[in-house]
Amino acid sequence: MSGRIAVVYLLARLVTTAFLLLAAGRSTSLSRFGVAPSLREFIVGWDGQWYWWVAVHGYPSTLPVTPDGLVGENAWAFMPVYAYVSDGVGFGDWAVGALTVSLVSGYLACLVLHRMLSPRIGASAALWAVAFFAAGPLAALFQVGYAESLFVLLLLLALEAVLRRRYGRLYLILPVMGFTRPSILAFALFLGLHGILRWVRRDREPLPVRHVVHIVALGVLSTVVGFAWQVICGLVTGDPSGYLRTELAWRRNWIVDASPEFVPFEGFVRGAEFWVGRAGLPPWVGWTLLVLLVATAAVLLLRDPSVRRLGPEIRLWSASYLLYLLAVFFPQSSTLRLLMPLTPLWGAPASSRSRLRRWGMLGLCLLAQWLWILSMYGLADTFYRIP
């Protein structure tokens, strides 16, 4: 099966390369990348430029301040693992290293995804899930300087460890994962919910004391790691809120009156108001749409048969991560990229036995991938075309 996965992944990468080349041909002087950019320019574009900066220059000891006295955009928003691993793998050529890390991580993630889903939906359906993942809307992230590919690999390894009750592996995975992308607190919530589920079902699945100790200890570890970067940033810069204020600097690109301090769940509420406001609609329309969106996601995770087939752990992780996004992010053009950690949910459409539905889903994946690449790398000319 690993050979088939390799073929699927290779074909998907060839398609993505073709899409990137086509997007480069559509790029104009209005684009962030200029006329006819090279694939190398795409690799180090957008967030890739920030990761390169971290690898070469490190992190600032003094936070930049805007004319109105607020913290400006800076490298502290980008975790160190991907930046430095890419630099090491590329032996000083960061773009080569980043491409290698993203490509290899994506392939390994495909292997883990198939291994994780096969017992739940069957080997053939799991291969379709791999195809959707490898050729999906965000497939370009396997070939550019973004940390998502590496993070998803670590996440899938962590989820697989929980599914197999191999908790000891997590002591090595979670710290690396926590310094790759800022989503480890979602995993802490997942571990808490997983522990409650194990306790409720202890009459059907024995719950040894050592498992209880592992779950509690790992929950504490992931929580500590989740706040560690904020502490490190505060110690280096002398500003205890430096990391959160750095993250908020990007939010001010969207709303000029953004709060100078982080307030949980404010981002999505303000985002709902912002997007309906651009259509000339009152704020309550945005609030209503947000409630409907959350309710729809909850119904799918709780009631949809194809999602339920994936098992409670995958559903608990998905719910934990979505709640985390609601709590900390502002919905904008990068939101689609931030959904990549929901990768295990590809098992839901893949579990369909209809060949027409499977091929139709693959076609939609490729279409969405092309539109995303064209918008974010080909056109790249306005505020809602930022990956």
Side-chain angles (χ1 to χ4, degrees):
M1 186 59 71
S2 59
R4 293 183 180 181
I5 294 173
V7 170
V8 168
Y9 189 71
L10 176 61
L11 291 175
R13 300 287 61 76
L14 291 175
V15 170
T16 299
T17 301
F19 284 166
L20 289 170
L21 290 172
L22 287 172
R26 298 285 294 273
S27 185
T28 69
S29 58
L30 299 178
S31 166
R32 175 187 178 93
F33 295 95
V35 178
S38 66
L39 294 183
R40 184 185 181 89
E41 289 176 278
F42 284 162
I43 293 172
V44 298
W46 297 117
D47 284 8
Q49 190 172 29
W50 281 107
Y51 285 115
W52 167 83
W53 179 271
V54 168
V56 175
H57 301 285
Y59 295 92
S61 58
T62 301
L63 295 173
V65 178
T66 63
D68 52 2
L70 299 173
V71 173
E73 297 175 2
N74 65 87
W76 282 104
F78 301 89
M79 301 294 187
V81 169
Y82 180 79
Y84 291 124
V85 169
S86 297
D87 192 50
V89 170
F91 294 100
D93 189 330
W94 192 87
V96 171
L99 176 62
T100 303
V101 172
S102 292
L103 277 173
V104 173
S105 296
Y107 173 64
L108 295 177
C110 288
L111 293 177
V112 180
L113 179 65
H114 187 273
R115 192 169 63 208
M116 187 169 67
L117 293 179
S118 288
R120 288 155 182 79
I121 61 175
S124 177
L127 186 61
W128 275 99
V130 167
F132 298 156
F133 172 51
L138 301 172
L141 296 176
F142 299 126
Q143 295 176 226
V144 294
Y146 272 75
E148 270 72 13
S149 183
L150 178 59
F151 180 80
V152 169
L153 169 61
L154 295 167
L155 170 65
L156 294 178
L157 288 171
L159 288 173
E160 184 186 40
V162 173
L163 290 169
R164 294 174 178 265
R165 310 302 189 239
R166 307 291 187 185
Y167 297 111
R169 301 175 183 176
L170 293 173
Y171 292 101
L172 297 176
I173 298 173
L174 293 184
V176 182
M177 182 174 150
F179 288 99
T180 301
R181 286 282 303 153
S183 305
I184 192 67
L185 289 177
F187 204 86
L189 174 59
F190 161 69
L191 285 172
L193 296 175
H194 168 69
I196 294 172
L197 180 67
R198 289 289 312 270
W199 176 261
V200 171
R201 295 186 171 187
R202 65 189 184 281
D203 57 332
R204 282 172 280 177
E205 180 187 0
L207 181 58
V209 174
R210 69 179 185 278
H211 284 188
V212 175
V213 173
H214 277 312
I215 293 171
V216 172
L218 289 166
V220 172
L221 173 64
S222 53
T223 302
V224 170
V225 171
F227 287 103
W229 192 243
Q230 297 181 39
V231 174
I232 293 170
C233 177
L235 292 174
V236 173
T237 64
D239 184 348
S241 301
Y243 172 73
L244 292 178
R245 292 179 179 178
T246 293
E247 290 287 1
L248 290 175
W250 271 266
R251 189 174 298 183
R252 290 195 299 274
N253 292 330
W254 300 82
I255 47 177
V256 294
D257 60 339
S259 172
E261 302 295 336
F262 171 74
V263 179
F265 299 103
E266 181 192 40
F268 259 84
V269 174
R270 294 297 308 277
E273 297 170 357
F274 171 82
W275 288 109
V276 298
R278 292 193 63 81
L281 300 173
W284 66 265
V285 175
W287 303 335
T288 302
L289 291 175
L290 178 60
V291 171
L292 290 174
L293 179 65
V294 173
T296 300
V299 169
L300 288 174
L301 290 176
L302 290 172
R303 307 298 300 174
D304 186 86
S306 61
V307 176
R308 291 176 63 86
R309 196 174 297 126
L310 302 178
E313 284 85 2
I314 289 177
R315 291 192 293 143
L316 284 178
W317 159 250
S318 301
S320 299
Y321 185 69
L322 288 173
L323 182 61
Y324 170 79
L325 287 183
L326 280 173
V328 304
F329 281 104
F330 177 88
Q332 29 90 353
S333 61
S334 296
T335 303
L336 181 61
R337 171 174 60 85
L338 298 177
L339 296 180
M340 199 170 184
L342 298 177
T343 288
L345 290 180
W346 279 121
S351 64
S352 171
R353 296 185 179 181
S354 169
R355 302 184 89 184
L356 179 61
R357 289 183 181 179
R358 285 174 169 175
W359 283 104
M361 176 58 72
L362 183 60
L364 289 175
C365 284
L366 292 171
L367 175 61
Q369 180 189 163
W370 162 243
L371 293 175
W372 193 81
I373 289 174
L374 174 64
S375 181
M376 306 301 174
Y377 287 91
L379 303 178
D381 57 357
T382 189
F383 69 99
Y384 57 81
R385 287 176 176 150
I386 300 174

